[in-house]
Amino acid sequence: KIQQVLVYAVKSYENPGIRRDTLDALRMHADNPNIRQALIYAMQRDSNAGVRLEALGAVANMNSSSDVHTALLDALEHDTNPGVRVAAVDALIDRTEKEGYDEPTAQALAHLASTDSNPYVRLKCANAVMKSGK
């Protein structure tokens, strides 16, 4: 019951501070599919960049899976906040160092290395592309 209330709070509570604090309580139980989905939801859809960034940190620490990888790529390519995009680059780099580069990640990094609106995001992406040798 408590987890259900926390999942509801992450998705629906009006106060971004409470949504962010709720993420801390949920991140320890990311193996639960409902909590996993709520963390990804917050990372992709929360209106507050700080909440999205906190959720991205929780998602980045989850076990590898296609939904996590897709969510990180989505944050990299579509989040409006450059801080969130930088965190997504870092999370994807960490994953690729452990698991190797996949084509969608390599393409996204190469594309954003020349097109992202933020110079630091472009630099991070360019460095990742150079490190991968692609």
Side-chain angles (χ1 to χ4, degrees), residues 35-63:
I35 292 174
R36 180 184 193 87
Q37 186 271 334
L39 293 170
I40 290 172
Y41 177 92
M43 184 185 86
Q44 293 177 322
R45 294 187 181 95
D46 198 277
S47 60
N48 183 283
V51 174
R52 290 194 311 274
L53 188 58
E54 186 72 23
L56 191 145
V59 170
N61 289 322
M62 290 181 188
N63 292 329

Side-chain angles (χ1 to χ4, degrees), residues 5 7-19 22 46-47:
V5 170
V7 166
Y8 172 80
V10 162
K11 290 182 173 183
S12 304
Y13 205 81
E14 287 187 35
N15 184 314
I18 291 183
R19 291 193 312 270
T22 302
D46 198 277
S47 60

Side-chain angles (χ1 to χ4, degrees), residues 49-77:
V51 174
R52 290 194 311 274
L53 188 58
E54 186 72 23
L56 191 145
V59 170
N61 289 322
M62 290 181 188
N63 292 329
S64 275
S65 67
S66 64
D67 62 336
V68 168
H69 192 76
T70 300
L72 291 171
L73 276 174
D74 183 63
L76 171 63
E77 295 175 317

Side-chain angles (χ1 to χ4, degrees), residues 52-128:
R52 290 194 311 274
L53 188 58
E54 186 72 23
L56 191 145
V59 170
N61 289 322
M62 290 181 188
N63 292 329
S64 275
S65 67
S66 64
D67 62 336
V68 168
H69 192 76
T70 300
L72 291 171
L73 276 174
D74 183 63
L76 171 63
E77 295 175 317
H78 302 290
D79 200 278
T80 57
N81 183 280
V84 174
R85 293 195 309 274
V86 167
V89 170
D90 291 339
L92 287 165
I93 289 170
D94 287 347
R95 286 180 179 273
T96 57
E97 287 176 351
K98 295 173 190 166
E99 302 163 10
Y101 274 86
D102 62 284
E103 196 57 33
T105 301
Q107 287 177 351
L109 290 169
H111 176 71
L112 293 172
S114 61
T115 63
D116 196 89
S117 62
N118 183 279
Y120 188 64
V121 174
R122 287 193 309 267
L123 179 64
K124 293 285 282 187
C125 290
N127 284 339

